[in-house]
Amino acid sequence: MKKIIIASTSTLYNGAYLDYLLPELRIHFKEVKELIFIPFARPGGISYDEYTAKVSSFFANLNIQVKGIHEFENPKQAIANAQALFTGGGNTFVLVDMLYKYDLFESIAESVSKGVPYLGTSAGSNICGLTMGTTNDMPIVCPPSFKTLGLVSFNINPHYLDPVEGSTHMGETRETRINEFHCYNPQAVLGLREGSWLEVIGDTITLKGNLTARLFQQGKEPIELESGTDLSNLK
Amino acid sequence: MKKIIIASTSTLYNGAYLDYLLPELRIHFKEVKELIFIPFARPGGISYDEYTAKVSSFFANLNIQVKGIHEFENPKQAIANAQALFTGGGNTFVLVDMLYKYDLFESIAESVSKGVPYLGTSAGSNICGLTMGTTNDMPIVCPPSFKTLGLVSFNINPHYLDPVEGSTHMGETRETRINEFHCYNPQAVLGLREGSWLEVIGDTITLKGNLTARLFQQGKEPIELESGTDLSNLK
């Protein structure tokens, strides 16, 4: 049975790393002794070792040992044997490029479909959608494709941001960008605000956290979804 | 002799389309009777015809007739014969994808190097750099490459935005994103604020407008450049 957490962000304003998700993660990773971390997104360009150490220090709270995927000679095998998986945030283009380089998309999707619990935050959540086409990141490297894991049948926009009232900036708002996405792509886009996450248990997808999320569908006005909404049939 | 204007934005807050550039454009397009407009970036998904009509209505002020590149059976030939070129803003991924589809990068660069005056705004400015790797746009389509015109030997970040003071948003600031770009790419990045533009006359590149621009170089602290700064040797 699939067990996935797709979080908008790893960290809340004034919060510590993953802290707001701690109660959920205790349940999500209950039986887990060892977790494989995918540090490829490298936020701020930090090294895989540094990033893995940060994650390791958090998971010590749950008595879970963390190994970075870069520490394995055969990453595909490591994914296949994993007890649990976590893909951290950073730059989605860099993350997707590396996952293609190591040819890991299929391996991850397969493990997750077999019930290996998965956690994604930010870029690691973006790749749970059909494509990375609704990332907010800068295209600092060019991956061979924007196709991603498709663990859910729609796209994720993490760190969803409402238009800033009274802004004099002429660049596009997030909503404008997602509407432009729908000129070229049919799938729904879920704007997840910082503090929201999706919980996937088997075939059931539920919006969690204290906030509403903004749903964009091609040819329709966007709507706000209450926490607790069942998104299992969203496409 | 090259004659290029690379503008951060087409429109200032509370301003009309291209209005703030009018005096410059009178000089830039002095001898021009007909201009070819490249509407591929389609801001907000508007049609090529609608976008071209908007541009046409502005250039009527300068007694310049506008034709959209989509109106020509042979776009390459049209670029080669053009008296002047203007690439408008919108989505840079869409623009670059279409320019690759019609194989127009080389044709544009060649015409510009022969002295055909070029104007770019926003996405149309982004493609004047070495790559589109410092666009702010959402990757709503996947172009075959991020390589662009290279009319200047560095990258452009249009609509450059300073960090919002007191923001509680945990997504990356523009500066953080550009610093991440430099983990993977060596070229300088010029953050052009709305109201700034570059003027290229022959081999001389000058920062214009009333604002400073922010220059990012790999391994260095970013610096502010005064209007009037000569950027001819920037790489």
Side-chain angles (χ1 to χ4, degrees), chain A residues 9 11-13 42-45 90-91 93-94 132-142 145-146 157 159 161 167-172 174 177-178 180-181 183-185 194, chain B residues 9 11-13 42-45 90-91 93-94 132-142 145-146 157 159 161 167-172 174 177-178 180-181 183-185 194:
Chain A
T9 185
T11 314
L12 293 183
Y13 183 68
R42 296 179 65 203
N91 185 290
F93 290 88
V94 175
M132 57 163 286
T134 46
T135 177
N136 313 305
D137 294 337
M138 203 170 248
I140 60 179
V141 302
C142 190
S145 164
F146 290 169
N157 179 247
H159 299 281
L161 196 60
S167 169
T168 61
H169 185 67
M170 301 299 286
E172 294 87 350
R174 191 69 59 80
R177 293 171 195 278
I178 296 172
E180 286 184 358
F181 175 83
C183 295
Y184 301 91
N185 304 272
E194 294 173 349
Chain B
T9 185
T11 314
L12 293 183
Y13 182 69
R42 297 180 64 204
N91 185 289
F93 290 88
V94 176
M132 57 163 288
T134 46
T135 178
N136 312 305
D137 295 337
M138 204 171 247
I140 60 180
V141 301
C142 189
S145 165
F146 290 168
N157 179 249
H159 300 282
L161 197 59
S167 169
T168 60
H169 186 66
M170 301 300 285
E172 295 87 351
R174 191 69 59 79
R177 293 172 194 277
I178 296 173
E180 284 183 358
F181 175 83
C183 295
Y184 300 91
N185 304 273
E194 294 174 349

Side-chain angles (χ1 to χ4, degrees), chain B residues 135-200:
Chain B
T135 178
N136 312 305
D137 295 337
M138 204 171 247
I140 60 180
V141 301
C142 189
S145 165
F146 290 168
K147 193 167 176 284
T148 49
L149 290 167
L151 302 179
V152 295
S153 302
F154 47 91
N155 263 37
I156 306 287
N157 179 249
H159 300 282
Y160 181 75
L161 197 59
D162 294 290
V164 179
E165 239 180 275
S167 169
T168 60
H169 186 66
M170 301 300 285
E172 295 87 351
T173 65
R174 191 69 59 79
E175 182 155 330
T176 303
R177 293 172 194 277
I178 296 173
N179 286 335
E180 284 183 358
F181 175 83
H182 277 144
C183 295
Y184 300 91
N185 304 273
Q187 67 263 42
V189 178
L190 189 66
L192 276 178
R193 294 188 178 85
E194 294 174 349
S196 290
W197 68 93
L198 296 180
E199 180 193 74
V200 183

Side-chain angles (χ1 to χ4, degrees), chain A:
Chain A
M1 196 174 66
K2 280 195 285 188
K3 284 178 69 180
I4 310 170
I5 290 179
I6 300 172
S8 173
T9 185
S10 62
T11 314
L12 293 183
Y13 183 68
N14 275 339
Y17 188 65
L18 289 175
D19 199 42
Y20 77 102
L21 283 172
L22 187 60
E24 293 291 319
L25 297 180
R26 274 194 206 286
I27 301 162
H28 192 62
F29 292 129
K30 204 173 155 196
E31 311 286 318
V32 173
K33 300 276 170 248
E34 190 183 276
L35 174 148
I36 292 186
F37 177 58
I38 300 174
F40 290 153
R42 296 179 65 203
I46 61 169
S47 74
Y48 296 155
D49 281 343
E50 279 175 285
Y51 199 9
T52 305
K54 177 182 175 171
V55 168
S56 187
S57 137
F58 170 81
F59 277 98
N61 298 316
L62 304 178
N63 294 315
I64 295 174
Q65 232 201 336
V66 172
K67 278 196 180 164
I69 188 70
H70 63 291
E71 298 170 37
F72 292 86
E73 270 200 34
N74 187 336
K76 272 195 193 192
Q77 197 56 52
I79 301 277
N81 297 338
Q83 286 179 39
L85 294 170
F86 170 30
T87 308
N91 185 290
T92 310
F93 290 88
V94 175
L95 170 61
V96 168
D97 190 47
M98 290 303 291
L99 289 175
Y100 274 110
K101 274 209 175 96
Y102 286 102
D103 189 21
L104 292 181
F105 276 110
E106 217 171 300
S107 316
I108 295 171
E110 205 168 299
S111 282
V112 173
S113 75
K114 283 183 183 155
V116 172
Y118 177 96
L119 168 65
T121 59
S122 193
S125 292
N126 221 307
I127 61 167
C128 294
L130 292 176
T131 75
M132 57 163 286
T134 46
T135 177
N136 313 305
D137 294 337
M138 203 170 248
I140 60 179
V141 302
C142 190
S145 164
F146 290 169
K147 193 167 175 285
T148 49
L149 290 167
L151 301 181
V152 295
S153 301
F154 48 90
N155 263 36
I156 306 287
N157 179 247
H159 299 281
Y160 182 76
L161 196 60
D162 293 290
V164 179
E165 238 180 276
S167 169
T168 61
H169 185 67
M170 301 299 286
E172 294 87 350
T173 65
R174 191 69 59 80
E175 182 155 330
T176 304
R177 293 171 195 278
I178 296 172
N179 286 335
E180 286 184 358
F181 175 83
H182 277 144
C183 295
Y184 301 91
N185 304 272
Q187 67 265 40
V189 177
L190 190 66
L192 276 179
R193 295 187 178 85
E194 294 173 349
S196 290
W197 68 94
L198 295 180
E199 180 194 75
V200 184
I201 304 281
D203 293 327
T204 306
I205 308 173
T206 313
L207 176 62
K208 307 274 276 190
N210 295 324
L211 306 168
T212 61
R214 197 156 180 85
L215 174 64
F216 299 85
Q217 289 171 293
Q218 200 178 41
K220 294 187 186 170
E221 284 296 305
I223 53 171
E224 289 291 319
L225 301 178
E226 296 296 322
S227 180
T229 300
D230 184 330
L231 296 166
S232 312
N233 297 315
L234 186 61
K235 268 179 191 173

